Amino acid sequence: MKIRLRFPDATFTVVLIDQVATRALVAQLPLRLKVSDFASAEKIAYLPERLSTQGAPGGSDARPGDLCYYAPWGNLAFFYRAGAYAAGLVHLGRVEGPIDALARQGDGLVTIERADD
């Protein structure tokens, strides 16, 4: 399954992993969330409802292009730089194609919706 992340100046398509957390995310779509930069490595957005992490590993590291859920804070994380292992970080999927424009997106809003191919 794929979702689309629409920022003011760029759009990204993410291929999701089939798991409990991603199905919970898709059930909340479409979403329009406030997004902000975090640690000069990722864009974060808080979800209206927490995702179930049942069956997910206890943590993960992140690569540029990864879409993750950070369970301790209840937020999505869109990585444009690599991140070290973090307990509670659940890998949800990966952006298709280049992600260069992600780092240039300022604080603002992102629309997340299913991608109908």
Side-chain angles (χ1 to χ4, degrees):
M1 179 179 308
K2 295 179 181 182
I3 60 173
R4 194 164 289 119
L5 310 174
R6 293 184 190 274
F7 289 85
D9 299 321
T11 299
F12 304 92
T13 300
V14 176
V15 178
L16 297 176
I17 297 168
D18 185 19
Q19 63 178 334
V20 172
T22 54
R23 289 190 295 272
L25 173 62
V26 169
Q28 293 185 38
L29 299 181
L31 292 168
R32 189 164 172 92
L33 304 173
K34 182 180 176 192
V35 67
S36 59
D37 197 76
F38 184 77
S40 297
E42 61 191 277
K43 302 295 182 181
I44 64 170
Y46 289 89
L47 292 166
E49 296 178 30
R50 290 184 173 264
L51 303 180
S52 171
T53 58
Q54 178 183 356
S60 180
D61 56 359
R63 297 178 299 150
D66 284 349
L67 172 65
C68 298
Y69 174 65
Y70 187 55
W73 293 357
N75 67 279
L76 293 177
F78 318 110
F79 284 88
Y80 57 89
R81 290 207 170 90
Y85 178 90
L89 187 66
V90 178
H91 188 248
L92 301 176
R94 186 147 180 83
V95 173
E96 282 186 327
I99 61 158
D100 301 342
L102 183 56
R104 294 190 300 272
Q105 301 307 303
D107 293 355
L109 295 174
V110 63
T111 300
I112 306 172
E113 59 197 5
R114 289 183 72 143
D116 298 320
D117 289 339

